[in-house]
Amino acid sequence: MARIISMKDAVNEALDQEMTRDPTVIMMGEDIVGGAGAQGEDDAWGGVLGVSKGLYAKHPNQMIDTPLSESAYVGAAIGAATAGLRPVAELMFIDFIGVCLDQVFNQAAKFRYMFGGKAETPVVIRAMCGAGFRAAAQHSQMLTPLFTHIPGLKVVCPSNAYDCKGLLIQAIRDNDPVIFLEHKNLYASTADVPEEPYTIPFGEANIVREGRDATIVTYGQMVGRSVEAAELLKKDGVDVEVIDLRTLSPIDMDTVLESVEATGRLVCVDEANPRCSIAADIAATVAQDAFDALKAPIRMVTPPHAPVPFSPSLEDAYVPSAERIAAAVRKTLEN
Amino acid sequence: MARIISMKDAVNEALDQEMTRDPTVIMMGEDIVGGAGAQGEDDAWGGVLGVSKGLYAKHPNQMIDTPLSESAYVGAAIGAATAGLRPVAELMFIDFIGVCLDQVFNQAAKFRYMFGGKAETPVVIRAMCGAGFRAAAQHSQMLTPLFTHIPGLKVVCPSNAYDCKGLLIQAIRDNDPVIFLEHKNLYASTADVPEEPYTIPFGEANIVREGRDATIVTYGQMVGRSVEAAELLKKDGVDVEVIDLRTLSPIDMDTVLESVEATGRLVCVDEANPRCSIAADIAATVAQDAFDALKAPIRMVTPPHAPVPFSPSLEDAYVPSAERIAAAVRKTLEN
Amino acid sequence: MSNPFPLPKEQLLDAYRKMKTIRDFEERLHVDFARGEIPGFVHLYAGEEATAVGIMMHLHDRDRIASTHRGHGHCIAKGVDVKAMMAEIYGKATGCCAGKGGSMHIADLSLGMMGANGILGAGAPLVCGAALAAQKLGHDGVGITFFGDGASNQGTVLESMNLAAIWNLPAIFVVENNGYAESTSVDYATASDSYVDRATGFGMPGITVDGLDFFAVYEAAGEVIRRAREGAGPTLLECKNVRFFGHFEGDAQTYKAPGENEYNRANNDCLKLFRQKVTEAGVISESELDAIDAEVAQLIDEAVAEAIAAPLPGPEQLTTDVYVN
Amino acid sequence: MSNPFPLPKEQLLDAYRKMKTIRDFEERLHVDFARGEIPGFVHLYAGEEATAVGIMMHLHDRDRIASTHRGHGHCIAKGVDVKAMMAEIYGKATGCCAGKGGSMHIADLSLGMMGANGILGAGAPLVCGAALAAQKLGHDGVGITFFGDGASNQGTVLESMNLAAIWNLPAIFVVENNGYAESTSVDYATASDSYVDRATGFGMPGITVDGLDFFAVYEAAGEVIRRAREGAGPTLLECKNVRFFGHFEGDAQTYKAPGENEYNRANNDCLKLFRQKVTEAGVISESELDAIDAEVAQLIDEAVAEAIAAPLPGPEQLTTDVYVN
Ligand SMILES: Cc1ncc(C[n+]2csc(CCOP(=O)(O)OP(=O)(O)O)c2C)c(N)n1
Ligand SMILES: Cc1ncc(C[n+]2csc(CCOP(=O)(O)OP(=O)(O)O)c2C)c(N)n1
Ligand SMILES: [Mg+2]
Ligand SMILES: [Mg+2]
């Protein structure tokens, strides 16, 4: 029987179930409970958009509000992960990584290698990402390429509530540091999500829609838009395959390469900025490893090389639309 | 008449000449003078490798030692750049960006856009980059893709002393924030460097070596190795073009595309880690914009997806060698 | 009757006008946001006006301030055009940032306003830079960074305090302590008993004032700004405040004590306190202030009407202003 | 003669052995580095042995420490295998990090040694995490982060002090104040008059001790560690030190006063001071200590010989250990 819940509720449920299963799973972040030290209601916020609302009542010893010191508390989550806990640290917006990157990229990501394989750092860093919220340049970035570039990190960006739950549970159970990016525009999106806990393995892309004429590879919010684009193209008799990467590191290039071998045409869609992007990463790998299968130039669809603008009119033009994606597919079909 | 000096001296000369020309050019960083507050010699260090040695004696009011607070002083350089100075902030190793990234990527890079074009932030952030110094995982990274990904930053990584002087002077005179990466392994490399100040414009690649059979695109330390590879290949009668990008953002794709149109074969060489790298960025753009000219799969030569190891035996295997580059070129010639 | 205040009447009227402008600006945004007319995140400054204006009355355009996510008050006090601000918040091409910045990024460098900021604590290093520039360029400008009780625990702020102290910068660190960081109490999040202790830990003097009392703020700010201008170095100035609205618009504020907002509106309203003081001293009449109120109300009405009528930026604006060249 | 010291003779001998091992380890590296036999950056701890050992004598494997770039002393004091350390510094497959880490990344989590660190101040948050884990897992372990006078101005350290204080963590912040950060004096770089003031600014007690006096360190550390174990929260402990060598090997040290190193070797040598105290008290004889000296010398000789003889890691190691799976 279908149980339709939002991605926001899926995140909450995954955290709830994992904290129940394993008392060493703790969560920390700014106002993830809310009202600490204040005179009003306990559990007043549940995070800035209410994602963790109610978890404090169920797991009072596992939910910790933090001061506005991301280096200290993200680093503490990492340190605790090497000392017997499995912390989930919430960085409110991934844009705030600039004040705590060192702990993530020079510490968590490198411990295992630098220490000759002797460390395990099972930490999850959850953060909101993405544009479309009128939140402007410092609260709307994707930044997926930054983390994907860094060896030692795993990078996850789900496109829907079902995947989100399974990937988050996997992230918490995973023994490596995971950057878990939740697109704020997808929180309200709903899917059929089983109540019981389940995991989705990392490095397994999802073929969201099968097709023969061209392959679209993407992730996150762009999955929905790519499917929309595929619907638009269907009307013209064009049959497009849409691949949702789900995890960017590790990345399931096998599925991508197989698809391109079949379709011969590739469009990489990325909400991140274009230079050194996930789109570029995939395009480059395909141009190296499946070149002979390609019948047309690879096309990339991304925002421009510019920060995210505030004004609705600009932001709407900034984020790739189904129309722009469809146009790119049409272009690959010209060859 | 030839004047052969090292890249280290070229940096020193560029800073010296610009500070002389323009008193609003100031430089700050950790121990860039040395001995502050101590009882021994003034100007005791000139930076950790002596690059700025002697500049304090000539420009005492323009050389400022800082406490070990990168966020504060890099941010101060950025703030000062909006207030009438043209600061050059030295981040000793680019690996330290993790403690001060916000000031660079959310502040300096975005001011102009967020403020609707009303800000100018003429700041240069100089840092050592790259491997080969047995300096291990936290002192050997390239990180060029991180900065190249971010709109609003310019990213420079010279391959030789001549370019280094001209590009650094351009960086100081440029009105945008510039990340200026000096490969520590190249400091000792020498070139014929004119004494008088000169600039090299950003976004103009240098064809270091012309060739008909294949194109190698690279930058920094890998330029020398690519030329070596070209020499190796010459013995087999293979004639390789080597393009030194010099600046990664802006990037001179025209020169790359033109070369690939002529040779039909492309090898992208990058000392940065492979995922979302500069190599991937170029490969992807070529696979989009010069696809029809390609006669063979594009090849990328990079270190593995792993941190930089300490042991000489591992580090030597980590950084792409002339042999590996040559092998990649040979592979593109198989098609 | 003689004027017992440290400012002439003209300036008192000006201060009142600025505070009232901020208040009306924010009250109006509150209403219009609830109506769904304003995009994005909006953090209102209402309740804290005396702090911004009490400090900014001492500043010239050459003096630099760096603001926060809660920046409208600082902007208005520093002289940013109110209509251009309103248009910006509406995302219009006529906005002071051409619609690209929005509420969290309003700036006007020509007036010394270095920008509201979406990143907590980010202004502190920037202001050290502005103060350094004043030092190096040989003018008497100061730099003032505002940050909240929550942001006072950001590494950037803490590092900057040390930097300013060792470089003896003309920099002032203003903690706007409104008791909350989002929903979290300052008592939970800040370990030190007093911000004065924290200042001492970074080798600079610290002063705490009632941020609701325009005159207390004005006086303390005057002193620390004078010190800074004279080369005596940085100071931390804590201004105790109240926040009339939620953290951002849409905040249900259940973390506050029951009746807290009503109590503050009744007893801790810096505008009422100001009005009371200046009228009781007989320096300004109620009707003079009422006249300002009416002018301000009209200004805000016009600002909103013009913002609504203004055009959105066109798509060609998407890729301009990324680089100077 | 009775033992006037707070440790039984066995432990005094153990402490001496540890300090002497650190000293000889570092003196030997100094010589071998100059000979060109050691790759990379090497920062020597010689001169500061009493601090590491005085503190670590109180710790169990469950207690966690985070070290710095100058980490050899902390590692040896915490019990990391000296031969495995030497092999690591030589980049050998037998090194404690399999040759992948080198001098700046020696770690042994099983002994509670969370790693030397190439990033200043990075250990402070990590140790807060270890202390939090102790709290949550309900054991009495403490976390100790070491950092220099220079690193004391890193935002990570400062934020962590506040965090530890508000969470009442069993965390201890040890400033090893050797007067220099590279070539820069602490007087230039750190604004506060005393680290005790800084501790106060973060709501925790601060103590300053003579880091050269093993017994002073031992006593102060015992007290603050006991407090932490009992749930009384964090403390800052400043240990005043001297650095016998340069910042790193290869440093000409011209920033030091003429004769400074010689003076310190003669008058501020923590090993000599220890020897003097324990022999004058008649608790340990010169010959007992000499015997330890000889054993340590042999250990270091063996460590170097074995390190030199050990194989380098093979290229198949390049891509292992990036992920657990
Ligand atoms: C580095 C960073 N962390 C977190 C946030 C999210 N955030 C925005 S405002 C805020 C609370 C700020 O509290 P305070 O500093 O007291 O200022 P106030 O809102 O009370 O004026 C938080 C947590 C942010 N913008 N930047
Ligand atoms: C974040 C960061 N900034 C700068 C450096 C470079 N660096 C390494 S050690 C050092 C000096 C440290 O001085 P101090 O903290 O006093 O420790 P000491 O060397 O005296 O033991 C510097 C600047 C670094 N490793 N990390
Ligand atoms: Mg507040
Ligand atoms: Mg020191």
Side-chain angles (χ1 to χ4, degrees), chain B residues 26-104:
Chain B
I26 62 163
M27 184 175 157
M28 43 190 175
E30 294 163 2
D31 303 87
I32 57 160
V33 177
Q39 287 170 34
E41 205 183 301
D42 258 9
D43 203 2
W45 262 36
V48 77
L49 297 184
V51 171
S52 51
K53 185 87 183 161
L55 295 179
Y56 178 69
K58 296 186 201 168
H59 314 281
N61 291 319
Q62 288 159 273
M63 294 286 296
I64 313 175
D65 273 341
T66 67
L68 310 186
S69 309
E70 287 83 1
S71 272
Y73 81 76
V74 170
I78 291 163
T82 71
L85 299 182
R86 304 187 80 85
V88 178
E90 178 176 294
L91 188 63
M92 199 179 287
F93 294 89
I94 196 61
D95 312 68
F96 303 164
I97 192 68
V99 298
C100 60
L101 181 66
D102 184 73
Q103 291 291 323
V104 176

Side-chain angles (χ1 to χ4, degrees), chain B residues 61 82 113 118 153-154, chain C residues 64 96 117 136 318 323 325:
Chain B
N61 291 319
T82 71
Y113 196 78
K118 285 188 196 144
L153 298 178
K154 292 178 175 172
Chain C
R64 288 283 186 116
C96 52
N117 212 309
K136 290 285 169 196
L318 207 50
Y323 297 98
N325 50 44

Side-chain angles (χ1 to χ4, degrees), chain A residues 30-31 48 68-70 73 91-93 96 99 138-139, chain B residues 102, chain C residues 43-45 48 68-70 104 117-121 147-152 154 176-184 243 247:
Chain A
E30 294 163 1
D31 304 86
V48 77
L68 310 186
S69 309
E70 287 82 2
Y73 82 77
L91 188 63
M92 198 179 288
F93 295 88
F96 303 164
V99 299
Q138 293 175 340
H139 287 72
Chain B
D102 184 73
Chain C
H43 307 83
L44 301 182
Y45 192 73
E48 315 191 24
T68 68
H69 57 289
R70 199 175 300 290
M104 263 191 293
N117 212 309
I119 304 297
L120 295 174
F147 51 91
D149 46 289
S152 73
Q154 276 286 332
E176 297 185 305
N177 182 355
N178 59 15
Y180 297 102
E182 298 194 337
S183 71
T184 301
R243 193 185 74 198
H247 167 64

Side-chain angles (χ1 to χ4, degrees), chain A residues 30-76:
Chain A
E30 294 163 1
D31 304 86
I32 58 160
V33 178
Q39 289 170 33
E41 206 183 301
D42 258 10
D43 203 1
W45 264 36
V48 77
L49 298 184
V51 172
S52 51
K53 184 84 183 164
L55 295 179
Y56 178 69
K58 297 186 199 167
H59 314 282
N61 291 319
Q62 288 159 273
M63 294 287 296
I64 313 175
D65 273 340
T66 66
L68 310 186
S69 309
E70 287 82 2
S71 273
Y73 82 77
V74 171

